[in-house]
């Protein structure tokens, strides 16, 4: 189970999210950004910008009370305030990697994190460094035991750079949090068609179906109809990604509860 949290400026806490003990539950703190507060890029020097209620103490507490919980930092996201964020090709990729490793190691240690999620959403027309920089960063973080899980979050307009990354570094990428809600699919059959396409581009065993609370794409219980259809067509539903816990409190975390029930092979609410 993957759940983004802390991206929208809404006060939110880990402890209010329902967590089943038999589920590997990953909170994805959103976002760590390679920029200062004014949006000026810092050449790989990341800072945390997620909701201030998500403190190091609260991360440690939720992991202590739920040993099945892991916490990740998602890198970049769409924007910082009014500043739209983009992957920029650093003039010295190896220096960027070194800076990113050091700054993220500091954040990971401070916040008791287990991994990173890659969510760059805008790219220059001539991108030549993303796959190398991100792939080598993940590899270094894993080889030095700073993290033990890494995920990527492509969507329909960013598939190409993420395919380039995945093709070269799939051995260090654990899950693909593809943002299916950006594909504007609103029924189960359409979801199956889109999932089949993305499963051909990425490893189907690592690809997770996703849902956006009160947002784009498939909505309501049609999402769970889609999950059943995936299984009926030979796909193993190995997890679910939800965006986001910030929006879920208003409906009592219905989709988190029902997604976990589905993953535990139960149709009843938990």
């Amino acid at each position: 189970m993957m759940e983004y949290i802390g991206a929208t400026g809404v006060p939110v806490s880990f402890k209010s999210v329902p967590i089943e003990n038999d589920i590997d539950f990953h909170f994805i703190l959103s976002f760590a950004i390679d920029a200062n507060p004014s949006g000026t890029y810092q050449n790989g020097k990341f800072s945390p910008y997620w909701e201030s209620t998500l403190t190091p103490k609260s991360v440690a507490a939720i992991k202590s009370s739920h040993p099945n919980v892991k916490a990740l930092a998602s890198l970049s996201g769409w924007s910082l305030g009014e500043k739209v964020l983009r992957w920029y090709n650093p003039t010295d990729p190896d220096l960027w990697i070194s800076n990113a490793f050091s700054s993220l190691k500091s954040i990971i240690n401070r916040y008791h994190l287990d991994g990173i999620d890659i969510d760059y959403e805008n790219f220059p027309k001539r991108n030549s460094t993303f796959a190398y920089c991100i792939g080598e960063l993940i590899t270094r973080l894993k080889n030095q035991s700073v993290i033990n899980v890494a995920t990527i979050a492509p969507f329909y307009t960013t598939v190409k750079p993420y395919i380039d990354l995945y093709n070269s570094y799939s051995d260090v990428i654990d899950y693909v949090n593809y943002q299916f809600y950006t594909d504007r699919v609103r029924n189960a059959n359409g979801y199956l068609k889109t999932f089949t396409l993305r499963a051909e581009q990425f490893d189907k065993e690592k690809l997770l179906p996703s849902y956006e609370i009160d947002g784009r794409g498939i909505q309501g219980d049609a999402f769970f109809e889609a999950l059943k259809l995936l299984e009926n067509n030979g796909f193993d539903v190995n997890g679910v990604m939800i965006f986001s816990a910030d929006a879920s409190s208003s409906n009592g975390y219905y989709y988190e509860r029902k997604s976990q029930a589905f993953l535990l092979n139960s149709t009843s609410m938990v």
Side-chain angles (χ1 to χ4, degrees), residues 43-45 90-101 133 140:
N43 197 28
K45 297 175 183 178
T91 56
D92 185 343
D94 291 317
L95 178 58
W96 186 95
I97 294 166
S98 179
N99 289 341
F101 174 86
C133 288
R140 189 177 300 186

Side-chain angles (χ1 to χ4, degrees), residues 2-4 6 25 27 31 41 65 75 79 100 115 158 169 178 197 209 212-213 261:
M2 300 272 179
E3 175 111 67
Y4 286 83
F25 201 111
F27 283 108
F31 293 93
Y41 296 116
S65 60
L75 306 191
S79 64
T158 64
Y169 294 95
Y178 184 87
L197 170 62
E212 183 176 45
I213 303 294

Side-chain angles (χ1 to χ4, degrees), residues 14 29 54-64 69 71 111-113:
F14 299 113
L29 281 69
L54 306 177
T55 63
K57 183 178 180 180
S58 69
V59 176
I62 195 66
K63 290 175 65 175
S64 176
V69 164
Y111 279 87
H112 316 287
L113 304 181

Side-chain angles (χ1 to χ4, degrees), residues 22-42:
D22 293 329
I23 294 286
D24 291 328
F25 201 111
H26 295 60
F27 283 108
I28 304 178
L29 281 69
S30 311
F31 293 93
I33 300 173
D34 171 20
N36 66 19
S38 66
T40 302
Y41 296 116
Q42 300 293 290

Side-chain angles (χ1 to χ4, degrees), residues 38-151:
S38 66
T40 302
Y41 296 116
Q42 300 293 290
N43 197 28
K45 297 175 183 178
F46 285 84
S47 300
Y49 286 93
W50 46 75
E51 174 57 35
S52 61
T53 55
L54 306 177
T55 63
K57 183 178 180 180
S58 69
V59 176
I62 195 66
K63 290 175 65 175
S64 176
S65 60
H66 293 280
N68 55 314
V69 164
K70 290 186 176 182
L72 289 66
S74 187
L75 306 191
S76 187
W78 181 265
S79 64
L80 178 56
E82 298 299 318
K83 170 77 171 183
V84 174
L85 299 169
R86 303 179 184 279
W87 174 259
Y88 59 93
N89 290 314
T91 56
D92 185 343
D94 291 317
L95 178 58
W96 186 95
I97 294 166
S98 179
N99 289 341
F101 174 86
S102 298
S103 61
L104 288 171
K105 181 179 179 181
S106 177
I107 294 170
I108 288 162
N109 289 340
R110 178 185 173 196
Y111 279 87
H112 316 287
L113 304 181
D114 303 279
I116 60 172
D117 170 71
I118 309 302
D119 189 27
Y120 280 89
E121 301 195 353
N122 294 283
F123 294 87
K125 290 183 178 180
R126 294 183 179 180
N127 165 54
S128 60
T129 60
F130 175 72
Y132 173 73
C133 288
I134 297 299
E136 289 300 312
L137 171 63
I138 294 172
T139 300
R140 189 177 300 186
L141 288 167
K142 281 199 165 186
N143 285 348
Q144 297 195 30
S145 300
V146 179
I147 64 171
N148 54 50
V149 61
T151 65

Side-chain angles (χ1 to χ4, degrees), residues 235-268:
F235 290 107
D236 293 326
V237 178
N238 295 319
V240 169
M241 179 269 271
I242 292 180
F243 188 90
S244 66
D246 306 31
S248 291
S249 60
S250 62
N251 61 31
Y253 298 96
Y254 175 83
Y255 295 98
E256 288 81 355
R257 295 177 188 276
K258 197 162 183 178
S259 293
Q260 289 176 92
F262 184 94
L263 294 173
L264 291 170
N265 297 316
S266 170
T267 58
S268 62

